Amino acid sequence: MSNPDSSADSSNFALGRLRALLDESSPEGEQRLPSERVLAAQIGIGRRAVRRALEVLEAEGRIWRHQGKGTFVGPRPVHTPTSLEELSKRTHPLEVMDVRLEIEPALARLAAMRATNGDIERLLRLAEKTALSSDADGRELWDSALHRTIAEAAGNSLLLAIFDMVDRIRQDTAWRLLRERARSGERQQIYIEQHRRVIAAIAQREAHAAEHAMREHLELVREGLLKVMTSPMPDQVDRQTAEQPVTANTKKEIRHGT
């Protein structure tokens, strides 16, 4: 008698039996199938044929397998990372800016409708602290506090939780250095004026103006980040300059500052 595993039809037979098993299963809740050994015994066929049939069902999206945990009915769940450290590794600054542009203008609009007088006083103090900061650490500290106070003033706990998650991702050291590179003296002064416009709109209860001012501010921040992300680092520029041959034309350009 021939071994069932060597039969050309054995895998098809196993596939048919497994399809019937899946059709009979309840769609509710996460279901784990028996092991290959148990399935092979139930069907009365070799494990190799069962394994091949399971591969077909996985390719069709009817089951999914997790090494060390087993085989489950249905399509593989979308992986949703919950660790902030993992999220930081999977994303990048421009994605973070995309999220900020979606939620922070809305937070500014809500703040214009819901901020208390105390909230507005805090915003004015934080804006002044941000304007007076002369070092990178201070600018990061007060700028973050200003934006978070706007989020708090919006009065929506879920949006505030999302804001906090994004803000913690932004604290990555490499990202902070990138943002500091994007802050030229002139650009920093524009940021300060934009902060003041956002706060003025909130204080005057002009929801649309607050939303527009925040969006304008974040778009400029994003533009600055994009510029430094697509530009060579200063040491790379120096290296490239050093590698260039010094010609008569080069000397002339240096003398004329071009």
Side-chain angles (χ1 to χ4, degrees), residues 3-42:
N3 185 336
D5 244 0
S6 64
S7 168
D9 294 329
S10 60
S11 295
N12 281 331
F13 176 72
L15 183 59
R17 291 294 300 273
L18 287 172
R19 286 192 198 280
L21 178 65
L22 294 178
D23 290 340
E24 294 167 5
S25 64
S26 170
E28 296 180 2
E30 184 181 81
Q31 297 179 65
R32 186 167 64 180
L33 291 177
S35 66
E36 289 179 4
R37 179 180 58 81
V38 173
L39 286 171
Q42 287 178 352

Side-chain angles (χ1 to χ4, degrees), residues 15 18-19 22 33 36 50-67 70-76:
L15 183 59
L18 287 172
R19 286 192 198 280
L22 294 178
L33 291 177
E36 289 179 4
V50 170
R51 190 176 304 117
R52 286 177 173 175
L54 289 173
E55 288 174 0
V56 173
L57 292 171
E58 185 174 25
E60 292 175 348
R62 297 200 64 182
I63 64 167
W64 63 281
R65 291 184 280 186
H66 190 297
Q67 188 174 0
T71 302
F72 300 87
V73 177
R76 182 181 296 274

Side-chain angles (χ1 to χ4, degrees), residues 231-255:
S231 300
M233 294 288 286
D235 59 335
Q236 293 175 318
V237 174
D238 293 342
R239 188 162 55 250
Q240 290 168 4
T241 302
E243 290 172 354
Q244 290 176 352
V246 179
T247 65
N249 286 338
T250 305
K251 292 178 180 178
K252 182 179 179 182
E253 288 172 358
I254 293 173
R255 284 197 301 270

Side-chain angles (χ1 to χ4, degrees), residues 96-109:
V96 170
M97 288 307 307
D98 286 343
V99 176
R100 293 187 69 190
L101 277 161
E102 289 297 324
I103 66 170
E104 290 197 53
L107 287 167
R109 183 185 70 245

